[in-house]
Amino acid sequence: MGGERASPGRGFEGELKVPLLVVGISVLVLLLLMTRLKLNGFAALLLVAVGVALVQGIPVAEISEVLAEGIGGQIGDTMLTIGLGAMVGRVMGDSGAAQRIADRLLSAFGPRWVQVAMVVAAMLIGVTMFYEVAFVIIVPVAFTLVRVTGANLLWVGLPMSIALSTMHSFLPPHPGPTAVAATFEASAGLTLFYGLFIAVPAGALIALVWPRLPFVRRMNPELPKGLVSERVFEDDEMPGMGWSLFVALFPVVLIAGAAVADMVWAGSESPVLHTAEFIGSAPIALLLTLLLAMWAFGPRIGRSLGEVAGSCTSAASAMAMILLVIGAGGAFKQVLIDGGISDYIKDVTDGWSISPLLLAWLIAAILRIALGSATVAVVTASGVVLPLLAGSGAHPEMMVLAVSCGSIAFSHVNDPGFWMFKEYFNLSVIDAIKARTTYTTTLAVLGLGGVLAMEGVLDALSL
């Protein structure tokens, strides 16, 4: 259905000459609708998406199809992951398992080093898990730490989010870097190895610095309703640490196992590979984890299945608006893509005479600003700079990292992940921009610096 629809570059009339201006104006209009007029995020995003579609020349009869494609694609990617993850988190919270893990982290690191604990946990889990999956698994622990310690939500949660963003955007086996590695025929293993030397220090630095910045410290959002248990458990009311940690890490093991199996049996028809890919896919891994959590924190410790089911229902109710807003963000992204903005940027940047590494980063960053989709940004940017790779002397792994770093920059209102961050941390749009847009951009710039430095080291070693 979507493949039969034309795009401005393939036949739409009246293609706009300055499409980036459209993006800028649409963002300003969206901010006005949500801040001054207090319009609901879902309705505001859809309204702006329709306006952009009209301005970009998408036929009126096809606008609803474009919106549906954007919402369907985004919800299809995130609903199972976020919905099941929220249910697992709420079951762990209502049973006391999240508090057990939070208490152990406090005992091991102390209240003073709680941010370090979140960064370490997020980086270990985030190496193999998508941002959204890891986020919904770890965030109940962050919420519990906030409730137990009385700390600011962003003081605990922001380091976690920054560490996860870094792992997801910089490193294979995450989808963006993996796709680019295939385009450049780069070694995924070497890309991961080099990337860790850049991602870990850059991510840890930003994760520990950003919550201390004055404009972030002035934000003091409340815990979102329905996503976290408000009960404080006594020690004898909580499940043991063994079971609590086992359930929390169960999806990590399944997903990481699938990644390892893919590297070992890549390209084969091994039944082990197919089985690992099935149970290691995020929705299946989280569904199995939910079933395990319902048993481990239900009948096994004396809670009825009705109580556990109530926890799942509460989580689903709380997720409804979050999913609607994320879906509308997907619609906004889709009209920008179908409006031909990526083709425009590709044409404009074709022939720029600058370093391939810098060009790769810059094109990915521009596409990220314009479209919001990191996947579209990395795929398009890699296609533009691929012809330059052969004669440039640049290492293909460094090209992968340059594109990946650029794709994390400037996350804002056309990025569905922005809305997930905003809703979970209960922020206004302006505060979410101040916190998330700034940290993603700084990460991208630090990542580029690390890539250029690493390229210099590799060149020196090869002399």
Side-chain angles (χ1 to χ4, degrees), residues 40-43 45 75 82 315-329 419-420 422-423:
N40 171 271
F42 177 70
L45 280 163
I75 292 295
I82 295 177
S317 300
M319 288 304 303
M321 183 52 66
I322 294 177
L323 287 171
L324 283 175
V325 172
I326 291 173
W419 296 102
M420 180 177 175
K422 173 196 174 297
E423 296 296 326

Side-chain angles (χ1 to χ4, degrees), residues 165-178:
S165 293
T166 308
M167 297 293 105
H168 180 88
S169 300
F170 282 31
L171 306 174
H174 296 291
T178 301

Side-chain angles (χ1 to χ4, degrees), residues 1-213:
M1 182 171 63
E4 298 175 356
R5 190 176 60 251
S7 71
R10 301 192 302 266
F12 279 162
E13 298 296 329
E15 182 178 357
L16 203 66
K17 300 299 182 184
V18 283
L20 289 182
L21 183 61
V22 174
V23 176
I25 293 174
S26 65
V27 170
L28 292 176
V29 171
L30 183 61
L31 293 177
L32 176 65
L33 291 174
M34 295 187 66
T35 57
R36 293 295 180 90
L37 302 183
K38 306 298 182 184
L39 191 61
N40 171 271
F42 177 70
L45 280 163
L46 286 183
L47 186 61
V48 171
V50 171
V52 170
L54 291 171
V55 172
Q56 286 294 97
I58 297 177
V60 174
E62 296 182 5
I63 291 177
S64 61
E65 182 183 346
V66 175
L67 297 179
E69 180 181 342
I71 293 174
Q74 192 61 49
I75 292 295
D77 290 340
T78 60
M79 183 177 69
L80 292 175
T81 296
I82 295 177
L84 289 169
M87 290 181 185
V88 171
R90 186 59 193 262
V91 170
M92 291 185 66
D94 286 352
S95 67
Q99 184 178 327
R100 175 69 76 185
I101 296 173
D103 288 348
R104 184 59 59 87
L105 285 174
L106 281 176
S107 298
F109 288 86
R112 183 178 180 183
W113 300 100
V114 67
Q115 292 176 315
V116 175
M118 296 308 300
V119 170
V120 171
M123 285 190 169
L124 289 175
I125 292 175
V127 168
T128 57
M129 298 188 74
F130 292 3
Y131 173 86
E132 294 85 357
V133 182
F135 188 100
V136 295
I137 288 174
I138 303 176
V139 79
V141 177
F143 288 163
T144 304
L145 284 169
V146 169
R147 194 190 64 243
V148 171
T149 63
N152 185 301
L153 175 55
L154 292 182
W155 184 259
V156 178
L158 191 54
M160 175 204 76
S161 180
I162 292 171
L164 291 178
S165 293
T166 308
M167 297 293 105
H168 180 88
S169 300
F170 282 31
L171 306 174
H174 296 291
T178 301
V180 180
T183 299
F184 291 143
E185 297 183 356
S187 165
L190 278 178
T191 303
L192 175 60
F193 177 73
Y194 295 145
L196 284 170
F197 285 98
I198 300 170
V200 171
L205 176 65
I206 300 302
L208 297 177
V209 167
W210 234 243
R212 290 169 167 79
L213 297 178

